[in-house]
Amino acid sequence: DVKVTQSSRYLVKRTGEKVFLECVQDMDHENMFWYRQDPGLGLRLIYFSYDVKMKEKGDIPEGYSVSREKKERFSLILESASTNQTSMYLCASSSNLGGTYGYTFGSGTRLTVV
Amino acid sequence: GQQLNQSPQSMFIQEGEDVSMNCTSSSIFNTWLWYKQDPGEGPVLLIALYKAGELTSNGRLTAQFGITRKDSFLNISASIPSDVGIYFCAGQSLKGNKLVFGAGTILRVKS
């Protein structure tokens, strides 16, 4: 069964901490994405990557950075966590092949910053 | 960024009722997708639509790609308690691999 795996389901971090959210996919997908999900706001794109070592800003990149050193892994970094970054974070991947561009999502990481 | 207008925002229906939700956009899309998110999980793809006018079914779900390519709807017939969740529409334009998501429709079913 193909998967996108997010390393933690729940995280509690303190304000000012550096936080790493990890995402791994086993489908050899070229594209990977990080979203945050907040009630009433839907899914908002933070960063995405179309290839190894490549990254592009999404709609809300402020306060975040990403790293993609290997094709299967896409990390989201909160340089200095703040309470307004408390949210559900979703990682997704997709392939350029076969004419279908649907995303496969991970189960999400619920981050609380206190 | 681009926006999709998804409605309704939430629905609270009786088990057995049919459900309808839709998405509209000011931009043309060449692919429309519908996802469902169960509580505490990530969204899962339900239906993908690739051609204007296409009508596709998946069990009790039916979705259509609007003729203008700027809208799509999802119908769920004879709802059951496990239909509870958040339903998202998503569109993809001709450029790039990025999807644009609607804000979601929260579905609650009363049994």
Side-chain angles (χ1 to χ4, degrees), chain A residues 9-10 31 33 35 37 40-43 45 48 50 57-59 88 90 94-96 99-108, chain B residues 1-2 9 30-31 33 35 37 39-45 48 50 86 88 92 95-104 106:
Chain A
R9 293 297 297 266
Y10 299 94
N31 313 311
F33 308 84
Y35 288 87
Q37 181 180 16
L41 297 178
L43 303 176
L45 182 63
F48 59 103
Y50 289 153
K57 293 179 180 179
D59 299 318
M88 169 74 116
L90 289 163
S94 72
S95 171
N96 296 333
T100 178
Y101 301 104
Y103 293 2
T104 301
F105 282 89
S107 296
Chain B
Q2 274 182 302
Q9 190 173 14
N30 67 327
T31 302
L33 305 163
Y35 286 83
Q37 184 180 27
E41 298 295 330
V44 173
L45 183 65
Y50 302 107
I86 305 175
F88 291 100
Q92 182 178 14
K95 300 179 188 178
N97 297 326
K98 213 153 42 96
L99 294 179
V100 179
F101 285 88
I106 301 170

Side-chain angles (χ1 to χ4, degrees), chain A residues 10-26:
Chain A
Y10 299 94
L11 275 180
V12 180
K13 296 291 181 180
R14 294 194 180 275
T15 301
E17 275 193 75
K18 189 168 186 176
V19 181
F20 293 86
L21 302 183
E22 304 289 346
C23 176
V24 177
Q25 51 96 3
D26 64 1

